[in-house]
Amino acid sequence: MLAIAYYFLQVIVCSAVMMGYYWLVLRNKRFHQYNRFYLLAVALLSWTVPLIKIQWNRPQASNQDMMRWLYVVADSNSEMEETIQHKGFLWNWDTAAALYVAVAGLILLFAIKTLIHLYRLLKMHSCRNVEDVYLILTRAKGTPFSFFRYIFWNEDIDLRSESGKQILQHELTHVRQKHSIDKLFMQLVLVLGWFNPFFWLLRREMDMIHEFIADKKAVVNGDTASLAQMLLTAAYPQQHFALTNPFFFSPIKRRLQMLANNKNPRFTYVRRLVVLPLLAVVVVLFAFRNKERHQAISVETMIDNMVKTIVNDVSKIPVKGLEDISPVSYTLNKSYTVVIDAGHGGQDRGAVGADGSIEKDIALELAQKIKSMNSNDRVKIVLTRESDVFQPVTEKAQLANAQHPDLFISLHCDNTASTSTQGIELLIAGKEKAKDYQANYRLANYMASSLEGVNKLRGIQSSRKGIWVLQEVNCPSVLIEAGFMSNQVDMANLKSTAYQQKMAGAILTGIQQYLSAHENQTTFIPVDTTIGVKVKDTAAHPLFVVDGEKMGRKGLKELKLEPNNIDNISVLKDEAASEKYGAEGRNGVIEITTKNNQNKKVSNRADTLTPAEFPGGADGFSKYLGRSVDASIPVKKGAPPGTYKVFVSFVVDRDGNVSDVKAENDPGYGTANEAIRVVAKGPSWLPAMQNGVKVTSRCSRKVTFVIAED
C-alpha cells in the first residue's frame, strides 16, 4: 500500500511540473490545438512516466557535471524505492483505501447521472438530422450544448438569426473536433486521480481551450462585438453538465480577450519546442534508477523473501496444547528451580499504554499466572516480587542467584511510536556479555517455538548495549516482551485474562521442553545470531544449492549472483527437502540454477558421485525400520497422539560400516535415542562410489514414529 501512495505522489509532482510549464509558457496563447494535445499528454504522461524504470550505470570517473547529476538522481530514486519496500509508515491504509474508492465512486456516479439525464432529454424531445449531426430541440436549462454528434438546441434561439447561426457553428465545431472524447477522457482521469489538484486545473483549462477553438471558428475575423451579441442572445443557464460542451461557458472575459488578441506571440515555435527538454527532465527525475543498487536489492530481497517463506513453515519442536489454556506437562527426572521476574515495580512503572495501563502491573499479573498454572511438581516457580515493590536490577540478580536457579525468565511489555507494531519479542544477552550465550540462545529457541501460537512472533534478538539482569544471573536466561502497549490489539490482549493464561501456559510448556531436552542431552546445533532477526526460529536457516553445490548464506553472497543470470529458483520444504537432501534439508532448501552455470565444475563432480545405499534401497530400509523400531517407546513415555520425525545422520565408510550416528533433532519421548539405536545396529551399507572408487560419505535418513488416537 505504501508503494501505491508513493506512486500517487509521483503522479502529483509529475503533473505539477508539466502544468507549471503550461501556465508560464503556453496559457492564453493562440496555438489552441497544440495546447489541447499538450494537456491531453500531461494527463497521460503523469500516470505513465512514474512507471518507467531506466537502469543507469554509474559513470566511470566522469568529470561531466551532467553525468554526475544523472547518477545522483538515479541513486536517489533507487534509495527511495528501497526505503519504501523495507520500511513501514504510520498510517491506517484500510481507511485511506476506503476513502479513495468512496470519492472515486462518487465522481463516477455523478458522471453516470449526467449521461442518464442526456439520454432522457434525447428520448423526450424531437430530433432533426442536419448534415452529419443530430439537432435536439428543447427548452431545457443549460442549452444549447453538444455531446458527440448531438446538439441540444434551445427553441428560444432563432436558428435563422445571425447570432443563432454563429452559435450553431460554435457547437458544430465542438462536434467535428470531437471535444466530447476529451471530456470523457478527463472525467476518467478525475475518477482515478481525484486526489491530484492539478488534474482539476487541467480539466478547467481543457474546457477553455475547447471554447477558444469553437469561438475562433464561429466568429469571423475575431469580431468581439459579434461574440458578445451571441452571448447575450439568451440568458445564462442555471445548470451545467460536466460531460457536455455548453455554449455559455464561463469565464466569458478570457474568451473575449483571446478573440481580441490578434497579435501572434513572439517565439511561437520556440515556446512549443521547449516541451522537448521539459519531457526529458521529467523522465530523468522519475524514471532513472541506479542499476547496481537495483540489482543488488533485487537479489537480496528475492532471497530474503524465500528464506522467510521457508523459515515461517519450519517447526523443529512439536508444540502441543496451545489451543488449550493448560500447559503440556513433561516427565522430568530431576527437580528444577525457575525464577520468573515481573519487570519494573514500585516507582519504576515501565511503559504506559494509551488507556493508562502500566507495564509493571501487567508483568506481575502474568508472572502470578505462570506460578498458579504450574502443575509439574518437578518445576519450582519462584517470583522476584509478589507485589508492587521497587527492585533495582542488581537486587533482582542477587535474589535470583540466591535461589540457585536453573532458568531465569524476565517478563516485560514493549512500547513504540508506531501504533502498527505488534507481537512478541525475545531478548538474550549479547555474546560478549553473556555467561553462557549458547544456553541462552537454546532457551530462547524453545521459548519462541512454544509462544508461536499465542501472538505474532517478531523474533529473537541480542542486545549490544547489554541487559544487566540477564548478564548477572548464573543460569540460562531470556527476556520476553509479551506485546506492545502502543498497539490497540496487543493492549487489549495484555489486559485479557484468557490471553494471559494462554501466554502463561505457553511459557510453562517452553520451560519444560527445554528442561526435558537438557535431561536427554538432545543435540543442539548452534547458529550465529544476527542482531535483530525477525523470524520465529533463528536456528532454522535453509540450505542453498547453486548449480548443484551446497552452501550457506555466506557462500551465496560471495557468488554475487546477477538477477539476469538466474535461470530458475525452486523452494523445497518439509518432507520434499528432507527426502532429497536428508538432515541438511530439514530447514528447507532453495535451489538456484544459473544460465551460465557458474558452479559447473562442482556440479559435474557431484554427478559422478553415487551415494551410499541401504541393501535393498529405500524399500529395504523401510522394511528394516518396520521390524526393528520399538514403536512403543514414545507411548510409554507419555507422548500424545501425533507424528514424530527424527532425522539421523551417520558415516558410511568404504567397507559399508556405519559409525558416528547422530540425531539432528529430538521430538522427545525417547524417539531420538531409539532412532540412533536402530540405525547403529543395522546391517552394513553399500558404500558411496565416486569415479568408480569406494569412498567414505556421510548420509542421513528419516525415522518416523506415529502414535494413533487410540
Side-chain angles (χ1 to χ4, degrees), residues 522-525 583 646-651 658-666 672-673 675-677 679-680 698-703:
T522 302
T523 302
F524 176 72
I525 305 174
V646 182
F647 295 96
V648 181
S649 68
F650 50 94
V651 173
V658 176
S659 62
D660 193 21
V661 184
K662 299 178 180 179
E664 299 292 350
N665 70 310
D666 184 9
N673 290 336
I676 293 173
R677 182 192 69 80
V679 173
R698 176 166 285 278
C699 303
S700 59
R701 290 295 186 273
K702 176 179 65 177
V703 180

Side-chain angles (χ1 to χ4, degrees), residues 332-338 376-380 404-406 515 519:
L332 300 174
N333 299 321
K334 298 190 299 182
S335 296
Y336 299 91
T337 299
V338 179
N376 194 326
D377 56 3
R378 292 286 189 175
V379 178
K380 178 184 178 183
H404 303 289
D406 297 283
L515 296 175
E519 280 189 352

